[in-house]
Amino acid sequence: MFSPQGPSARELAVQALSSVEHGYDLLAPKFDRTPFRTPGGILDATAEALRPLGPFGEGLDVCCGTGAGMRVLRPLCRGRVTGVDFSAGMLAQARKAHPDAEWVRADARALPFAGGFDLAVTFGALGHLLPAERPAVFAGVHRALRPGGLFAFPIGAPPPFTSVWYWALLGFDAAMRVRNAVWRPPFVMYYRTCPLGAVSDDLAAAGFDVTTAPLPSVGRRKDGSPRYRVVLARKP
């Protein structure tokens, strides 16, 4: 799962015992060589799904990390592209990789933007938000978009009950809940707290019109349903 240039087991253990912000500061220099980075195939599939809906003006990557979302925003946006994250370490890596983009350090639960963007995306961040925190994040994205603006992100189908992945993710989330019950500061990283139905309800409550589209290039499950969909939340 990890390349030889990726983090060691000790480094991952130190990260796991840190806060989310400090943990990602520590992991930032090696983050792109871990399986935690959103795979290129999912980024490309998202860009392909959004292309017929564009072109867009200015773009925003929410919880941008090291800037992987620029692979989506750059080809679709004619204006400036901006990434926002609360980890200074991740932003430092993003600036090195994409010096012509704008980078803002801020908490996604209190985004400092108002009506300046036409497209917002996020990748791999929802698991770092507790369900009670999603409304504030979605409200901030809604404020950041111009009328008619679009908030888009991929979301995976839940693995079937009989699959190894189902039990692996259930075990990981259980371990994280135990860790956060006995250790401070908490490290919020869960895989089963953001089902599509709940996320769609939170987006609608924030004022978005919500639809989804399949990402067929990422593959299908045994029952023929798509492994991933892209959520399309439009500000009226």
Side-chain angles (χ1 to χ4, degrees), residues 32-33 41 50 62 76 85 87 90-91 95 101 110 122 131 141 147 180 188 201 203 210-213 217-218 220 228:
D32 287 343
R33 292 180 289 276
L50 294 177
V62 180
L76 300 176
D85 202 283
S87 167
M90 298 292 268
L91 288 172
R95 289 190 183 95
T122 192
V141 176
N180 288 333
V188 177
D201 288 345
L203 287 166
V210 186
T211 59
T212 69
S217 65
V218 184
R220 293 187 176 274
Y228 275 83

Side-chain angles (χ1 to χ4, degrees), residues 35-227:
F36 306 129
R37 184 184 187 274
T38 302
I42 294 176
L43 295 170
D44 293 342
T46 302
E48 188 63 26
L50 294 177
R51 188 166 289 110
L53 306 178
F56 300 91
E58 299 186 355
L60 176 66
D61 185 3
V62 180
C63 303
C64 62
T66 57
M70 293 298 148
R71 182 164 170 168
V72 175
L73 292 178
R74 277 287 180 211
L76 300 176
C77 296
R78 293 176 172 174
R80 66 174 172 137
V81 289
T82 301
V84 58
D85 202 283
F86 73 167
S87 167
M90 298 292 268
L91 288 172
Q93 297 301 312
R95 289 190 183 95
K96 291 179 183 178
H98 305 278
D100 53 345
E102 296 185 15
W103 303 101
V104 176
R105 187 180 182 192
D107 193 319
R109 295 164 295 188
L111 290 172
F113 308 112
F117 297 96
D118 304 285
L119 173 64
V121 297
T122 192
F123 297 97
L126 294 183
H128 291 301
L129 303 170
L130 296 172
E133 296 173 327
R134 284 198 303 259
V137 176
F138 293 166
V141 176
H142 191 274
R143 288 193 304 272
L145 290 169
R146 295 187 176 100
L150 182 66
F151 180 33
F153 52 89
I155 194 165
F161 177 78
T162 55
S163 73
V164 173
W165 275 110
Y166 176 92
W167 295 102
L169 297 180
L170 179 65
F172 181 91
D173 280 13
M176 289 301 298
R177 291 187 185 281
V178 171
R179 179 256 186 242
N180 288 333
V182 302
W183 189 269
R184 292 290 184 273
F187 189 90
V188 177
M189 183 178 177
Y190 300 110
Y191 285 100
R192 303 177 70 253
T193 57
C194 46
L196 176 58
V199 169
S200 297
D201 288 345
D202 288 345
L203 287 166
F208 288 101
D209 295 330
V210 186
T211 59
T212 69
L215 298 179
S217 65
V218 184
R220 293 187 176 274
R221 304 199 297 173
K222 290 182 179 179
D223 63 2
S225 61
R227 289 180 58 208

